[in-house]
Amino acid sequence: MRRLAYLTVIVSSALIGLAGWLAGSQSGLQAAIHLAGKATGGQLHIEQASGRLLGPLDIATLRWQGAGQQIAATGIHLDWSLAELLHGRLQVAALDIATLRIDQPPSDVPAALPADLQLPLAVTIERLSLGQADYNGQPLLQQLRGRLASDGRQHRLDHLQLQAGDVSLAGQAS
């Protein structure tokens, strides 16, 4: 019985240490990226990541390729709070993306709106910025900035600034 208790303490300590290393160190970040690439069969590819999973985190390039769809983002900066996530809230101090490109083949199936926009948890993004977004090689927007606050059911965008071609918008939405 005593051996089982010691073994439980040793295994638990090792798992906690491994999780701390993965989330809290640069080398853990690199290992997590490698594991994510393997787990997705190579569909997820991340280049030049620095920081920690706990944040702040910088990624030069993130690519997802699957089922005819390709998504690429460059110049990503993410600063978020694990402590808030443990309380059921996603708290992001900053999410900055320099470029976002989405490529997917045309479809004869019409796009369907989601039944609702409910999120599984409350989300706050204090600073959100996207420099440029393209869809199938066509520019969608040149600049998006704002702040998002959501309790999971009701969402609010504040300090919204959007530049798309010759059109500039500013305001808020909920």
Side-chain angles (χ1 to χ4, degrees):
M1 186 64 153
R2 207 172 206 179
R3 282 186 180 173
L4 182 59
Y6 286 136
L7 183 59
T8 301
V9 168
I10 290 170
V11 169
S12 298
S13 297
L15 289 174
I16 291 169
L18 177 63
W21 170 72
L22 280 172
S25 70
Q26 173 72 31
S27 59
L29 171 65
Q30 298 306 319
I33 288 169
H34 179 75
L35 289 171
K38 292 274 190 196
T40 61
Q43 290 180 306
L44 177 66
H45 184 75
I46 297 173
E47 297 175 2
Q48 297 177 354
S50 62
R52 312 171 304 150
L53 285 176
L54 292 176
L57 172 64
D58 293 295
I59 298 173
T61 304
L62 182 145
R63 282 194 294 275
W64 174 266
Q65 183 171 353
Q69 185 180 53
Q70 295 180 6
I71 300 171
T74 64
I76 301 166
H77 173 75
L78 174 65
D79 191 359
W80 69 291
S81 170
L82 175 65
E84 289 296 315
L85 189 60
L86 296 174
H87 291 96
R89 297 181 296 268
L90 178 57
Q91 178 75 34
V92 177
L95 174 58
D96 304 311
I97 302 171
T99 65
L100 176 65
R101 181 177 174 170
I102 301 170
D103 293 306
Q104 64 184 34
S107 173
D108 293 335
V109 178
L113 292 174
D116 65 52
L117 298 176
Q118 187 169 336
L119 300 174
L121 69 164
V123 176
T124 300
I125 303 176
E126 294 295 331
R127 185 184 80 221
L128 172 65
S129 72
L130 174 59
Q132 180 177 336
D134 295 336
Y135 181 76
N136 286 340
Q138 299 298 313
L140 287 177
L141 60 89
Q142 288 74 42
Q143 189 65 250
L144 172 69
R145 294 180 188 270
R147 179 183 183 280
L148 171 70
S150 171
D151 64 4
R153 291 181 175 209
Q154 298 211 355
H155 319 296
R156 183 173 175 90
L157 284 167
D158 290 313
H159 310 293
L160 182 62
Q161 296 177 328
L162 173 70
Q163 176 80 37
D166 293 337
V167 176
S168 295
L169 298 173
Q172 60 187 29
S174 59

